[in-house]
Amino acid sequence: MTTMTPKPHIILADDEDLVAMTIALMLEDYGFRVTVTRNGQEALHADGEDPASLLLTDMRMPVMDGTVLVKLMRQRHPRLPIVVMTGYSEAIPDEEAGRLSVLRKPFPLDVLHQRIRALLPEGV
């Protein structure tokens, strides 16, 4: 009997449905489990139900924005890899090697995949 390694779980927080669905489908094709949420509050709830291997978040969202979400997820999971997506020049977090990467919209989906792979531990 072989033991299957569970797929890494990515929580995707983005209020733009078309963007979120396009990214989710691509990530699922690469073998990730993806939970799509529309704001930071939904993302926190999803993490409570099924903890994330990685957080992928937009910065501007209703209810709870990416800045607050990143802060609260860091409190829960200090080592959680995070990819921040933004199309604006608002205050964005500083990149942290091995922990946090920032992508400016629009970006190629293959670049997103490379950033995610670089942040996830080997074998995950």
Side-chain angles (χ1 to χ4, degrees):
M1 187 173 178
T2 56
T3 311
M4 290 187 61
T5 305
K7 295 178 179 182
H9 180 219
I10 296 177
I11 293 179
L12 167 56
D14 195 319
D15 63 321
E16 295 179 52
D17 292 337
L18 185 58
V19 171
M21 287 308 173
T22 301
I23 291 172
L25 288 172
M26 183 269 305
L27 293 174
E28 287 168 353
D29 284 346
Y30 281 117
F32 298 104
R33 286 186 309 116
V34 182
T35 300
V36 176
T37 63
R38 295 182 50 77
N39 59 59
Q41 190 172 54
E42 288 181 13
L44 283 175
H45 178 76
D47 178 67
E49 298 287 314
D50 185 4
S53 304
L54 180 138
L55 172 66
L56 175 58
T57 185
D58 192 15
M59 291 304 288
R60 284 197 174 180
M61 297 178 289
V63 184
M64 180 190 295
D65 68 12
T67 303
V68 175
L69 174 60
V70 168
K71 179 181 174 192
L72 294 174
M73 287 292 276
R74 277 280 184 248
Q75 289 172 358
R76 281 188 185 183
H77 313 287
R79 298 190 197 296
L80 181 71
I82 297 173
V83 177
V84 169
M85 307 175 291
T86 184
Y88 301 95
S89 60
E90 76 275 2
I92 54 174
D94 293 329
E95 293 210 11
E96 301 172 43
R99 285 186 52 186
L100 191 139
S101 185
V102 177
L103 285 172
R104 293 204 175 267
K105 292 179 180 178
F107 51 81
L109 291 177
D110 62 322
V111 171
L112 172 61
H113 181 239
Q114 292 166 5
R115 296 281 180 99
I116 289 171
R117 278 284 166 220
L119 288 173
L120 287 174
E122 285 297 317
V124 172

